[in-house]
Amino acid sequence: MKIAIAATLVASAAAFAPVRTTGFAGTNSALNAEDFLEAEPYWDQSTIPVNVWKNKAPFTGKVVSTKRIVGPKATGETCHIIIDHEGDFPYWEGQSWGVIPPGTREKDGKPHSVRLYSIASSRYGDDMTGKTGSLCVRRATYWCPELQAEDPAKKGICSNFLCDSQPGDELKMTGPAGKVMLMPEEDPKTDLIMVATGTGIAPYRGFIRRLFIEDTPAG
C-alpha cells in the first residue's frame, strides 16, 4: 500500500502520536490487541453503524478533555476534543458525528440545528478502549472590518461551544453519519491519496492511527 498525504495543516505531532505500543500477535502489551470492534471479515462494510442516534433522540456524550493543538502564533485556534461515549456510540474511521449546540436561534427561538464534524480518531478512540472518540475543531470567528475586531454576534455557535467545553460537559450528539469516506481495506495493495485543508485532515488522522499506530488487522 502506498499512502500520500497533502494538507495545509498538521495540527501537532502530539495529536498523531501513539498513546502506547501494542502487539497484535500476542506480545506483552498493556491491553489486548485492537480487534474487538472488527467486522467479520474485518474489511466487510455491510454492518457499519449509520444514523443510530438522531436529532429527536440524540446521544449524550461527556467531554474528557479539550486541548489547543496549534501554537500561540497560529492563525485561529484549533482544539482536539476527546468525548466519552461508554462504548454506546460505535463508529468507523471516515464517519462523522453530529453535535447539537445548546440554546436556541436568535431569529426564531428554535433549537440550534445539528453540526457535523469528521471523527478524528479510529473506532478504538485515542485511549484504545473503544469507549471514546475525538474531534478536531477550529474555532469559527468573524473579523469585522468596521469594528476592527472580532464580532461575537457572528461567531460560530457550535465550534465555540466545543472549543470552550470542559471535562464533564455533556454533548448532544447524532450519527454516526456517512459511508462515502470509509477507508477501503479489502485489498491491502490499495493506494490511498489523502488531500485535505485545515481541520479537514481529521478523518485521515483516524486512518493513519488504524494503519500504522494501532495493532489492528488492517495495519
Side-chain angles (χ1 to χ4, degrees), residues 156-203:
I157 299 296
C158 199
S159 66
N160 280 269
F161 165 64
L162 288 171
C163 289
D164 289 336
S165 64
Q166 300 294 318
D169 287 353
E170 294 187 343
L171 307 177
K172 297 296 183 184
M173 305 170 64
T174 66
K179 297 177 73 173
V180 176
M181 282 285 292
L182 298 180
M183 182 168 60
E185 296 183 347
E186 184 171 359
D187 183 358
K189 296 181 181 179
T190 300
D191 295 337
L192 302 180
I193 300 175
M194 307 180 193
V195 180
T197 60
T199 51
I201 201 172

Side-chain angles (χ1 to χ4, degrees), residues 9-184:
L9 167 68
V10 176
S12 74
F16 282 83
V19 176
R20 60 176 176 82
T21 57
T22 60
F24 189 75
T27 57
N28 295 324
S29 57
L31 296 174
N32 293 330
E34 285 72 50
D35 62 355
F36 57 92
L37 293 177
E38 301 299 323
E40 183 58 45
Y42 73 90
W43 43 260
D44 182 9
Q45 299 179 353
S46 63
T47 59
I48 182 173
V50 178
N51 296 325
V52 177
W53 300 92
K54 305 181 186 302
N55 293 27
K56 293 184 178 180
F59 178 82
T60 300
K62 282 193 175 182
V63 174
V64 175
S65 64
T66 301
K67 180 182 179 181
R68 179 186 171 103
I69 55 173
V70 293
K73 295 183 179 180
T75 302
E77 179 180 18
T78 300
C79 294
H80 184 73
I81 302 154
I82 300 177
I83 301 166
D84 181 9
H85 60 77
E86 298 184 339
D88 296 327
F89 203 159
Y91 59 87
W92 280 31
E93 300 78 17
Q95 290 190 293
S96 299
W97 271 341
V99 178
I100 304 174
T104 57
R105 297 185 301 197
E106 213 174 278
K107 62 180 181 180
D108 56 16
K110 293 182 179 181
H112 290 297
S113 58
V114 65
R115 271 73 162 179
L116 290 178
Y117 294 91
S118 294
I119 301 170
S121 54
S122 81
R123 69 193 71 180
Y124 294 99
D126 288 353
D127 60 0
M128 312 290 190
T129 65
K131 296 182 178 181
T132 67
S134 302
L135 299 179
C136 185
V137 180
R138 178 183 171 91
R139 186 188 295 273
T141 58
Y142 174 75
W143 178 266
C144 178
E146 295 180 0
L147 297 175
Q148 286 296 296
E150 290 183 359
D151 186 348
K154 296 181 180 179
K155 68 180 183 180
I157 299 296
C158 199
S159 66
N160 280 269
F161 165 64
L162 288 171
C163 289
D164 289 336
S165 64
Q166 300 294 318
D169 287 353
E170 294 187 343
L171 307 177
K172 297 296 183 184
M173 305 170 64
T174 66
K179 297 177 73 173
V180 176
M181 282 285 292
L182 298 180
M183 182 168 60

